[in-house]
Amino acid sequence: MITLTPLSSSAAASSSSEPVCYLLELDDARILLDMGQKDYRTSSLQTSWDYEEKVRELAPTLSLVLLSHSPTTYLSLYPYARARWGLSCPVYATQPTVEMGRVVCLTEVESWRAECPVEDASDIANGNRAEGSRPNKGKKPLRGPFVPTMEEVHEAFDWIKAIRYNQPLHLGGDLSHLLLTPFPSGHTLGGTLFKIRSPTSGTILYAVGINHTSERHLDGMVGGQNGPTGYAEGVMRPDLLIIEGGRSEVVNVKRRDRETALLDLVTSTLESNHSVLLPCDPSPRLLELLVLLDQHWTFKLNPTTKRRQTSSTDPWSYPLCLVSRTGQDMVSFARSLIEWMGGVVKEAGGEEVVGDLAGNKRGGKRRRNAGATLGSEYGALDFRHVQFFLSPADLLQAYPLMKPKLVLAIPSTMSHGPSRFLFTTMASTEGNVVLLPSRGEDNTLARDLYKRWEVEQDEGSKWSRGRIGRTSGLKGQLQLKMDFKVPLIGLELESHLESERLAKEREAAHQAAVDRSKRMLEADDLDESESEGSEDGEEADGIIVRRRDENVNANAFAGDGEDVKTMSFDIYVKGQQMRVNRGVPGEMTRFRMFPFLERKGRKVDAYGEGLDIGQWVRKGREIEEEGETEEVREKKKQKEEEEERQKVQPEAPSKYISETFTLDLKASIFFVDMDGLHDGQSIKTIIADLQPRKLILVRSKEESTSSLVKYLNSTSGITNDIYSPSTEEQIKIGEHVQSYSITLGDSISVGLAKKWSKFEGYEVAMIDGKIAFAPGSTVPVLEAAEMVKPLPIETAPEEEQNEKKVMVEASSMERKDDDDTEMTSEPAKEATVETAQDEANNVSTKSEPDVAEEAIDHTKLTIAAPQLQPVKVTPSQLPTSLYIGTLRLSSLKSYLSTLNPPIPAEFAGEGILLCGPGLQTTEGEKVKSGSIIVVKKVGEGGIVVEGTVGKVYDLVSKSVSEQLARVNAA
């Protein structure tokens, strides 16, 4: 049984920017597919967190989590769930997804915490963190955003198990029956299509975030040269395909046109002495932009020569800047993951740079190679022209506001961080351009700016219409809320420092009380015994023993000014026998409890030797220092210096403030889709090529879903089992299948050595045998039929009487030579041959025929055994072999063209393929007999090959057989 429940981004979602998360229940496993989260600012403004509540409820019960992509909409909720909600199951993702996802989450967390207050786990020690052990008790109502700490992010991503493309992974534990295989999906570095195979439920392919075309740093989904369809064999014909349909009505602009429009706008803006602000995500799609722009800078700086060092006199002196706290870390990770990339990064190794995309295509290759950069250590990921800045302040200090520059700032939503701040400084300058590479999430500044741009466009130039729009100006005013973290000054700083001083004093007093209590509980090893020494002290065997003052620590509970000699207790204490009435006369005397008794320590050990622990510690330190070499001392010193440098300086006292600004918008805005996703025609072609048996659509609007379902239903060859669930709607596919264990006996196993045939990743064979049970075993054994003896048939006494009557009547019929016996279809008890023989020996020859005839109704006789001879039954024989699978005539046509020599083939109608060299005869030439063979598909799975027997016929028949899986009998 397969059950899919969309927790978010369903087929009826109100927005395609919702986080991606689906619960897949497969057999007894609960698998969570992705775990995204909305933008932090959007999450802080919403009032309902149903999706997060559901994830928190499911987290402790999950069996497996699969992360397919690294953007925030796919995995940003995972670190918080891992740290606070009791998520402890295995998590799988590719290595690039792990590293890039870590960078994305760290960037978002650090950027948000630098502007807005966040409730940490230490503030809610009795809240969410305790929920992992008690998932159903004591839960606090959720309130976003859900921002983990930096340590929690590192810990969560260290927990993920990295996997590689195309390598089947047998899961362990309760998931040992499942086989997981990742395939590349395009769109992002490390993006994954997950294939899950269950022996009872079939194959499931989870495909979201698909891009079938190659880019500058990535190849398309599942490779591009895997057979005639372009897909790997492992993803073909899944039993269930989970795929997104939100872009089914989108028409993408050609990649060349998009890149040309982007670079032309950047070039014209910079040359007019204005700046470009390009908000981008922290990692996944940033690499594509960096490769494109860095190669464009290389071409501009080196238009004719291959190697020329840049200088201040270069005509193209505009800086290419990236403002991100984790930008350099992201590039470092990316350089270690080149094997996961494609395009010019892997093939050209940095030698191919972008040329004049607006120029003619004939000279494109020469132009692209003309500006090649040779000798680069990291190839296209060298990024020699990109300058990294940690904050907008560092950028503005290096390049003033009026200096023309291209600035890439995170995040792409512009809801917080450097991109939001830089927008407030650049949007009020006429001539500047805000370049949007994506539409952004709902209720974010990026989506608001996109809507302003879309209103100004013609109907045919809007997004999803297949055409590039035009630049439009921002008009009017915009109120923008800005959050800051500012240091405290003046009275606020003094008040904060005073409160900290008081807190430290309270902590010190508490620690002193704890230390005093410990000291009072410890024994004094130098205390003198009662029988030794003098009043002040004496020396015995080289050990100086001093007597403690009798009033010191006489009672740990004595108050200031109290005489310990006048204290009384409710138990007998030597020297403390006096009682004091502290109340009115006649009141019951009160006593103190728990007296402090000083323990007498031992000044020597069991052998009479005095103990000096400090001496042993000093001696051990000296031995350790003498054994160290100069190299070890140097390394230890360097380590201490490194730890000292890495110590985080205490942050200055600060506070969070919010201000609302009113901006006069004068800059221009332009949108070009650089998300790297499929379009409508692509998703329809992909579904048709994959040929799934069942299909579930997710991450789509209702209009797009209905349009795609309508198209798929009207297309032949595509399944009609299409589901489009809404949020939290369960889709159940299949039925519960009872699986049984059986052991193959030696008589069958020996014959299977060379009988296995491969079919869709399985190895199958056809066998014939009988089941037998070994003594003391509950698992049946399948043996060859001739090795298993038949079980004896036991009959009930009543059945034996009925069989006797039948045999008596049969004997009387034999004596009457009655050969004409009527047969009916009414049920009757059959008599076995063995029973008939026994009865023939036991029946008396004196049986009365007349009585027998009266007892027989000849119209209801079902068995006649005139001779009572044993009947030899021949069991039905299985065929020696059979073919399984579905023949696709298009695949057969492609296969025939690969033969040597190739056999031409043409379609003559639906389900008919003409093959043979006779198709290429010239006009008027006589077609030779046997040169054309017809392959037809008839009925349900029927295949007919017609033609004259000959060489061509044999080749075509053999090719048809090779397109199917042959299963041989054992």
Side-chain angles (χ1 to χ4, degrees):
M1 172 70 76
I2 302 174
T3 304
L4 182 76
T5 307
L7 304 183
S8 181
S9 288
S10 65
S14 59
S15 172
S16 59
S17 63
E18 289 189 2
V20 180
C21 188
Y22 310 101
L23 176 63
L24 176 65
E25 297 178 78
L26 180 63
D27 301 334
D28 295 330
R30 298 165 68 88
I31 304 174
L32 200 64
L33 305 174
D34 289 319
M35 196 184 302
Q37 184 180 189
K38 291 184 180 180
D39 179 79
Y40 286 153
R41 188 171 296 276
T42 304
S43 179
S44 63
L45 296 177
Q46 68 185 29
T47 57
S48 175
W49 291 275
D50 295 336
Y51 158 63
E52 289 82 1
E53 284 279 6
K54 189 65 176 178
V55 173
R56 179 172 69 164
E57 179 183 349
L58 291 172
T61 66
L62 294 175
S63 306
L64 180 67
V65 174
L66 301 177
L67 303 177
S68 61
H69 295 275
S70 53
T72 56
T73 53
Y74 292 89
L75 52 63
S76 64
L77 189 60
Y78 160 67
Y80 195 91
R82 164 79 182 164
R84 314 285 181 86
W85 293 344
L87 178 66
S88 58
C89 65
V91 184
Y92 289 95
T94 59
Q95 188 67 39
T97 301
V98 175
E99 299 302 338
M100 295 301 165
R102 187 198 305 268
V103 171
V104 169
C105 291
L106 288 175
T107 306
E108 292 286 330
V109 167
E110 192 172 1
S111 177
W112 182 259
R113 286 178 174 271
E115 298 180 3
C116 302
V118 177
E119 187 180 28
D120 287 333
S122 58
D123 300 329
I124 49 175
N126 298 324
N128 292 341
R129 182 174 288 275
E131 293 166 9
S133 58
R134 297 188 305 168
N136 296 322
K137 295 181 180 180
K139 286 187 177 180
K140 294 184 178 181
L142 292 181
R143 180 175 178 82
F146 305 95
V147 185
T149 63
M150 309 287 283
E151 293 76 12
E152 290 171 349
V153 171
H154 283 292
E155 181 184 355
F157 281 93
D158 289 340
W159 175 262
I160 299 178
K161 299 179 181 179
I163 54 180
R164 299 188 65 85
Y165 286 150
N166 304 315
Q167 292 188 359
L169 175 66
H170 291 275
L171 304 178
D174 296 337
L175 307 176
S176 57
H177 63 290
L178 299 180
L179 183 67
L180 178 67
T181 308
F183 294 96
S185 68
H187 178 47
T188 61
L189 181 61
T192 312
L193 305 178
F194 284 108
K195 175 186 175 183
I196 308 172
R197 170 165 289 171
S198 168
T200 57
S201 302
T203 301
I204 301 172
L205 183 64
Y206 174 64
V208 296
I210 299 174
N211 187 15
H212 66 293
T213 60
S214 298
E215 297 183 278
R216 293 189 174 273
H217 79 295
L218 286 178
D219 289 329
M221 61 170 290
V222 202
Q225 292 80 29
N226 293 290
T229 60
Y231 306 109
E233 181 181 356
V235 302
M236 299 296 293
R237 197 64 176 163
D239 293 304
L240 174 62
L241 175 63
I242 305 172
I243 197 168
E244 58 181 327
R247 297 174 66 95
S248 60
E249 295 181 327
V250 174
V251 179
N252 278 348
V253 182
K254 292 182 179 180
R255 172 187 154 189
R256 181 184 180 86
D257 296 339
R258 285 186 276 116
E259 293 179 350
T260 301
L262 186 147
L263 297 179
D264 287 347
L265 178 64
V266 170
T267 303
S268 60
T269 304
L270 294 179
E271 291 179 347
S272 63
N273 289 327
H274 292 97
S275 300
V276 179
L277 174 61
L278 202 161
C280 54
D281 58 52
S283 168
R285 296 299 304 169
L286 176 59
L287 276 175
E288 181 73 11
L289 293 172
L290 287 180
V291 172
L292 174 65
L293 295 172
D294 186 72
Q295 291 180 349
H296 180 63
W297 252 248
T298 302
F299 175 78
K300 285 293 186 180
L301 290 170
N302 305 276
T304 56
T305 61
K306 291 186 177 181
R307 303 187 69 177
R308 182 165 68 92
Q309 297 295 330
T310 62
S311 64
S312 59
T313 60
D314 285 328
W316 189 262
S317 58
Y318 308 108
L320 173 58
C321 309
L322 172 62
V323 184
S324 173
R325 296 174 182 267
T326 56
Q328 290 179 312
D329 294 335
M330 182 274 298
V331 173
S332 299
F333 286 135
R335 288 170 178 170
S336 65
L337 301 170
I338 293 181
E339 60 184 277
W340 296 82
M341 301 185 189
V344 299
V345 173
K346 189 174 183 180
E347 296 175 2
E351 296 183 3
E352 184 176 0
V353 298
V354 62
D356 186 6
L357 295 177
N360 54 42
K361 297 182 180 180
R362 181 175 300 178
K365 186 66 177 178
R366 181 182 60 82
R367 285 175 175 269
R368 291 164 70 90
N369 289 337
T373 303
L374 301 178
S376 174
E377 180 181 0
Y378 301 108
L381 300 181
D382 194 18
F383 299 143
R384 294 190 306 117
H385 309 294
V386 180
Q387 303 180 39
F388 298 91
F389 297 93
L390 298 179
S391 65
D394 297 338
L395 171 68
L396 297 178
Q397 184 178 0
Y399 299 103
L401 187 61
M402 302 309 296
K403 168 74 175 178
K405 54 188 172 294
L406 172 59
V407 182
L408 292 89
I410 58 98
S412 59
T413 58
M414 305 176 70
S415 62
H416 57 88
S419 61
R420 190 179 184 89
F421 177 81
L422 290 172
F423 174 78
T424 61
T425 61
M426 299 174 63
S428 300
T429 303
E430 188 173 358
N432 289 347
V433 175
V434 179
L435 179 57
L436 300 177
S438 64
R439 297 188 301 157
E441 297 184 23
D442 287 343
N443 302 320
T444 60
L445 177 58
R447 178 58 68 91
D448 182 42
L449 296 177
Y450 164 77
K451 291 179 179 179
R452 290 170 178 257
W453 172 85
E454 189 178 33
V455 171
E456 301 293 331
Q457 304 303 309
D458 300 333
E459 190 64 27
S461 300
K462 294 183 178 181
W463 177 74
S464 77
R465 304 300 172 85
R467 290 174 54 187
I468 294 290
R470 56 183 175 84
T471 305
S472 62
L474 292 174
K475 302 177 183 178
Q477 294 182 340
L478 176 66
Q479 287 190 347
L480 203 61
K481 179 182 178 181
M482 297 294 296
D483 298 313
F484 301 98
K485 186 177 183 180
V486 296
L488 298 178
I489 58 175
L491 295 178
E492 290 182 337
L493 178 60
E494 294 178 1
S495 176
H496 176 78
L497 295 177
E498 181 66 18
S499 62
E500 281 191 344
R501 186 183 63 79
L502 294 176
K504 289 181 179 179
E505 289 180 355
R506 287 194 298 269
E507 180 66 22
H510 174 70
Q511 187 64 33
V514 173
D515 295 341
R516 179 170 173 266
S517 177
K518 289 182 179 180
R519 287 194 303 269
M520 288 188 299
L521 294 176
E522 292 177 355
D524 187 4
D525 292 335
L526 298 179
D527 193 15
E528 183 183 18
S529 62
E530 296 181 358
S531 60
E532 294 180 348
S534 61
E535 183 177 357
D536 295 333
E538 62 181 8
E539 182 176 355
D541 298 333
I543 302 176
I544 299 176
V545 181
R546 298 184 183 277
R547 183 184 302 276
R548 178 186 295 273
D549 187 82
E550 60 181 358
N551 293 332
V552 176
N553 287 339
N555 191 286
F557 298 92
D560 294 338
E562 286 189 300
D563 187 2
V564 296
K565 295 183 178 181
T566 61
M567 296 177 58
S568 301
F569 300 90
D570 60 348
I571 59 176
Y572 175 77
V573 180
K574 182 179 179 181
Q576 304 283 344
Q577 303 176 12
M578 299 179 63
R579 300 179 181 179
V580 178
N581 292 332
R582 296 194 176 187
V584 296
E587 184 181 357
M588 182 182 295
T589 305
R590 297 182 180 181
F591 303 96
R592 299 207 177 194
M593 300 178 64
F594 308 114
F596 174 79
L597 298 180
E598 207 173 1
R599 294 188 302 169
K600 300 296 182 179
R602 300 176 61 89
K603 59 180 177 292
V604 294
D605 61 7
Y607 297 95
E609 178 70 20
L611 299 178
D612 187 359
I613 300 176
Q615 179 182 358
W616 290 102
V617 173
R618 290 190 300 271
K619 188 65 175 177
R621 188 181 300 111
E622 293 175 0
I623 294 175
E624 183 179 355
E625 292 176 355
E626 291 176 359
E628 290 180 351
T629 62
E630 187 66 27
E631 183 180 357
V632 173
R633 294 193 188 97
E634 186 66 24
K635 288 184 177 180
K636 183 182 293 186
K637 182 179 179 181
Q638 292 178 358
K639 183 178 180 181
E640 292 176 354
E641 293 176 355
E642 183 68 22
E643 292 177 352
E644 186 68 25
R645 285 195 300 266
Q646 291 181 354
K647 284 184 178 179
V648 179
Q649 296 296 330
E651 187 178 2
S654 56
K655 65 177 180 178
Y656 296 95
I657 61 174
S658 297
E659 295 182 7
T660 301
F661 293 89
T662 301
L663 299 178
D664 291 327
L665 301 179
K666 297 180 181 180
S668 300
I669 188 169
F670 183 73
F671 167 76
V672 56
D673 189 2
M674 299 296 291
D675 276 339
L677 290 169
H678 62 273
D679 59 1
Q681 183 59 41
S682 302
I683 196 64
K684 295 172 184 176
T685 305
I686 290 171
I687 293 175
D689 289 342
L690 295 181
Q691 287 291 306
R693 293 180 173 87
K694 298 181 186 297
L695 179 67
I696 296 181
L697 298 178
V698 295
R699 207 183 183 195
S700 176
K701 294 184 179 180
E702 294 183 2
E703 299 81 7
S704 302
T705 302
S706 59
S707 174
L708 182 57
V709 171
K710 183 178 180 181
Y711 169 82
L712 296 177
N713 288 333
S714 63
T715 304
S716 60
I718 299 180
T719 179
N720 293 325
D721 295 330
I722 303 175
Y723 306 91
S724 54
S726 58
T727 303
E728 297 191 8
E729 177 186 354
Q730 288 187 346
I731 297 296
K732 296 184 178 180
I733 298 176
E735 299 177 354
H736 283 290
V737 178
Q738 298 294 338
S739 59
Y740 301 93
S741 299
I742 191 170
T743 303
L744 296 182
D746 296 338
S747 59
I748 289 182
S749 301
V750 172
L752 288 177
K754 298 182 179 180
K755 300 294 184 180
W756 294 107
S757 300
K758 291 186 177 181
F759 174 67
E760 294 186 358
Y762 294 97
E763 289 188 352
V764 295
M766 184 169 53
I767 59 178
D768 177 23
K770 288 186 177 181
I771 293 178
F773 287 88
S777 175
T778 59
V779 180
V781 181
L782 187 65
E783 296 282 2
E786 60 272 11
M787 300 292 295
V788 181
K789 297 181 180 180
L791 297 175
I793 300 177
E794 298 180 358
T795 57
E798 295 181 359
E799 295 178 354
E800 293 178 359
Q801 296 297 330
N802 295 334
E803 291 173 357
K804 287 182 180 180
K805 288 184 179 181
V806 174
M807 299 313 300
V808 170
E809 294 165 2
S811 300
S812 62
M813 289 178 60
E814 181 185 4
R815 288 191 294 272
K816 283 191 159 189
D817 297 329
D818 188 3
D819 296 335
D820 298 330
T821 306
E822 298 182 9
M823 307 296 291
T824 66
S825 60
E826 295 187 16
K829 298 185 185 306
E830 297 184 359
T832 61
V833 177
E834 292 82 4
T835 306
Q837 291 177 344
D838 294 340
E839 293 299 333
N841 296 330
N842 295 333
V843 172
S844 173
T845 56
K846 297 181 181 180
S847 59
E848 301 178 307
D850 297 337
V851 177
E853 289 180 5
E854 292 178 1
I856 295 176
D857 186 354
H858 293 282
T859 62
K860 297 183 179 180
L861 184 62
T862 60
I863 297 180
Q867 304 298 330
L868 298 178
Q869 297 296 330
V871 180
K872 183 177 181 180
V873 180
T874 303
S876 59
Q877 299 294 331
L878 292 175
T880 57
S881 64
L882 54 87
Y883 292 91
I884 60 176
T886 302
L887 175 66
R888 301 186 64 197
L889 295 182
S890 59
S891 300
L892 176 62
K893 179 182 177 182
S894 301
Y895 179 78
L896 293 175
S897 63
T898 60
L899 299 178
N900 189 17
I903 299 178
E906 294 180 0
F907 287 102
E910 186 175 356
I912 301 175
L913 183 66
L914 302 180
C915 315
L919 298 176
Q920 295 181 344
T921 56
T922 59
E923 186 177 356
E925 183 181 354
K926 185 177 180 180
V927 179
K928 297 181 180 180
S929 176
S931 61
I932 295 181
I933 306 299
V934 181
V935 181
K936 298 180 181 179
K937 297 182 70 174
V938 295
E940 185 68 23
I943 303 172
V944 177
V945 182
E946 297 179 347
T948 305
V949 177
K951 183 179 180 180
V952 179
Y953 181 87
D954 293 340
L955 291 175
V956 174
S957 299
K958 184 180 179 181
S959 301
V960 171
S961 302
E962 291 178 354
Q963 296 296 308
L964 304 172
R966 179 176 178 177
V967 183
N968 299 321

